């Protein structure tokens, strides 16, 4: 099968950063599905792993943690899927990735593809949707108010992949006020279009801007990027006994300013369930089924903003470079094979 891989970690500008290769076809065993990959999207985890981690097994490392495709074979223990099913999923960081014609994935973290979306539109969703869902509804519990606080959520980095999904999922809680940060006119327009009630600029002090909204101190803050730069402002603006979640990787994170307000801190990592094969691992498949229903009902839209074709090393390099520029909004997808 065709695939895109690398042998040594490093910067994307190297000739060998991502390479078109041939690998043996995998076989489905246990609870695995063998999926014919139709489209993949690129996430920050792709660029971080490529820059810092080598191969898991063998000579080549294949990246990719978002895919949409068709089930071609199932392992003997699979019960929820059959060949021909159209699926979408985010995979596991402990296994080879989706940048290949054929890919193995545990059925418990797979959902049926939304029927209203094409392959690329569907491939843009899984990782960011699961991350946003777990952060909002499992870590922050945004449906449960904080006494005396504004029932409001601040999303730092609203125009990125996760932020774009978090805005839409938060809007599924009717009483929740959604505040999103964005700094450029095009990203501010994007987050407003996705449903944010208020848009503020993360290049300016956050606490003053939130106070100027006149809604009170928000109960919840979800930080998707540059948390270390905003932590003092977040500690100032969040309500006493509020709840704070983050997904990025600051080198250090001083949460001592949260103590006086008894703010709970939650780190969201989408791969925890698949990495440790937790007892509730199938929850991620259930989340994707819910996302598909919301999409097909018109309540949530794909966050696809750019697509390249075909799936090859050159186009994956373009996508990595765009993501590393930190100016991308939504998701970039690569689709089809030639």
């Amino acid at each position: 099968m065709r695939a895109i891989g690398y042998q040594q970690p490093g910067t994307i500008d190297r000739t060998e950063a991502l390479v078109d290769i041939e690998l043996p076809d995998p076989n489905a065993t246990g609870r695995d599905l063998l999926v014919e990959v139709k489209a993949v999207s690129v996430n920050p985890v792709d660029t971080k792993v490529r820059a810092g981690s080598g191969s898991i097994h063998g000579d080549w490392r294949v990246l990719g943690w978002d895919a949409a495709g068709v089930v071609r074979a199932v392992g003997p223990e699979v019960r929820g899927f059959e060949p021909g099913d159209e699926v979408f999923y985010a995979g596991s960081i402990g296994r080879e990735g989706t940048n290949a014609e054929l890919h193995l994935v545990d059925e418990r973290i797979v959902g049926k593809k939304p029927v209203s979306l094409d392959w690329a539109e569907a491939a843009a969703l899984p990782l960011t949707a699961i991350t946003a869902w777990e952060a909002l509804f499992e870590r922050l519990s945004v449906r449960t108010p904080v006494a005396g606080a504004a029932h409001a959520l601040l999303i730092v980095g609203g125009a990125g992949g996760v932020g774009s999904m978090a805005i839409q999922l938060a809007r599924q809680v009717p009483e929740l006020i959604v505040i999103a940060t964005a700094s450029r006119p095009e990203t501010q327009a994007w987050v407003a279009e996705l449903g944010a009630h208020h848009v503020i600029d993360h290049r300016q002090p956050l606490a003053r801007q939130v106070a100027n909204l006149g809604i009170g101190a928000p109960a919840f803050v979800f930080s998707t990027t540059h948390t270390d730069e905003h932590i003092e402002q977040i500690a100032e603006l969040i309500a006493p006994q509020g709840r704070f979640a983050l997904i990025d990787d600051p080198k250090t994170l001083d949460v001592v300013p949260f103590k006086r307000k008894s703010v709970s801190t939650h780190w969201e990592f989408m791969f925890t369930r698949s990495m440790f094969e937790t007892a509730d691992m199938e929850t991620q498949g259930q989340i994707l089924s819910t996302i598909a229903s919301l999409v097909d009902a018109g309540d949530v839209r794909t966050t696809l903003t750019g697509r390249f074709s075909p799936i090859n090393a050159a186009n994956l390099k373009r996508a990595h470079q765009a993501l590393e520029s930190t100016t991308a909004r939504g998701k970039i997808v690569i689709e089809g094979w030639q």
Side-chain angles (χ1 to χ4, degrees), residues 45 65 90-94 127 134 268-276 284:
V45 63
W65 289 282
S92 168
I93 200 168
L127 189 149
E134 290 182 348
E268 160 59 22
F269 186 54
M270 191 223 70
F271 294 116
T272 297
R273 282 179 161 129
S274 58
M275 179 182 293
F276 295 98
Q284 292 197 337

Side-chain angles (χ1 to χ4, degrees), residues 2-325:
R2 290 171 292 182
I4 298 91
Y6 70 95
Q7 293 179 310
Q8 298 297 326
T11 58
I12 193 62
D13 56 353
R14 300 168 301 133
T15 302
E16 68 276 17
L18 293 171
V19 181
D20 293 306
I21 58 176
E22 289 283 337
L23 294 175
D25 291 357
N27 296 309
T29 60
R31 300 193 69 172
D32 278 349
L33 310 177
L34 180 65
V35 177
E36 178 186 340
V37 174
K38 298 292 189 179
V40 299
S41 73
V42 176
N43 295 281
V45 63
D46 296 69
T47 65
K48 292 174 185 176
V49 173
R50 188 215 70 240
S53 301
S55 61
I56 302 177
H57 308 292
D59 293 333
W60 294 98
R61 181 73 184 266
V62 177
L63 300 175
W65 289 282
D66 261 334
V70 179
V71 176
R72 289 305 179 208
V74 300
E77 298 174 26
V78 170
R79 297 293 179 266
F81 297 88
E82 59 186 23
D85 285 344
E86 297 184 351
V87 297
F88 72 144
Y89 58 92
S92 168
I93 200 168
R95 305 183 68 174
E96 294 294 353
T98 58
N99 295 341
E101 285 185 287
L102 298 171
H103 183 250
L104 293 175
V105 61
D106 191 299
E107 68 165 332
R108 288 171 288 182
I109 57 173
V110 176
K112 299 286 181 65
K113 170 185 155 302
V115 297
S116 59
L117 300 185
D118 65 24
W119 297 116
E121 292 167 337
L125 292 174
L127 189 149
T128 55
I130 294 171
T131 299
W133 184 283
E134 290 182 348
L136 297 184
F137 302 122
E138 298 180 9
R139 315 297 178 219
L140 291 176
S141 300
V142 297
R143 294 189 180 98
T144 304
V146 171
H151 197 52
L153 165 72
L154 171 64
I155 301 169
V156 179
V162 173
S164 295
M165 284 305 302
I167 292 168
Q168 297 185 80
L169 293 178
R171 286 301 309 268
Q172 305 309 304
V173 183
E175 66 276 14
L176 185 64
I177 300 170
V178 180
I179 311 161
T181 79
S183 61
R184 293 176 287 126
E186 59 269 31
T187 53
Q188 291 172 345
W190 169 254
V191 299
E193 183 181 337
L194 291 174
H197 295 100
H198 304 283
V199 182
I200 63 176
D201 185 352
H202 48 242
R203 292 181 180 174
Q204 304 298 323
L206 297 177
R208 183 178 68 247
Q209 294 179 82
V210 170
N212 288 341
L213 297 176
I215 62 175
F220 317 107
V221 177
F222 180 27
S223 180
T224 71
T225 185
H226 295 99
T227 299
D228 51 346
E229 297 177 13
H230 302 298
I231 194 73
E232 290 185 5
Q233 287 287 303
I234 292 169
E236 181 179 345
L237 68 88
I238 197 169
Q241 302 187 91
R243 298 192 281 271
F244 168 67
L246 70 157
I247 60 170
D248 58 329
D249 302 296
K251 292 181 180 179
T252 61
L253 188 67
D254 182 8
V255 295
V256 172
F258 286 154
K259 180 178 180 180
R260 68 190 185 95
K261 289 185 175 179
S262 296
V263 172
S264 60
T265 301
H266 309 263
W267 224 308
E268 160 59 22
F269 186 54
M270 191 223 70
F271 294 116
T272 297
R273 282 179 161 129
S274 58
M275 179 182 293
F276 295 98
E277 295 196 6
T278 60
D280 62 350
M281 184 173 165
E282 71 278 359
T283 300
Q284 292 197 337
Q286 296 165 3
I287 291 171
L288 289 176
S289 294
T290 301
I291 296 297
S293 296
L294 289 169
V295 169
D296 288 336
D299 296 324
V300 169
R301 56 184 268 192
T302 181
T303 55
L304 170 70
T305 54
R307 61 172 93 200
F308 303 149
S309 182
I311 303 171
N312 60 23
N315 281 326
L316 278 165
K317 281 185 177 181
R318 290 174 62 198
H320 278 234
Q321 288 167 336
L323 201 59
E324 290 181 336
S325 73

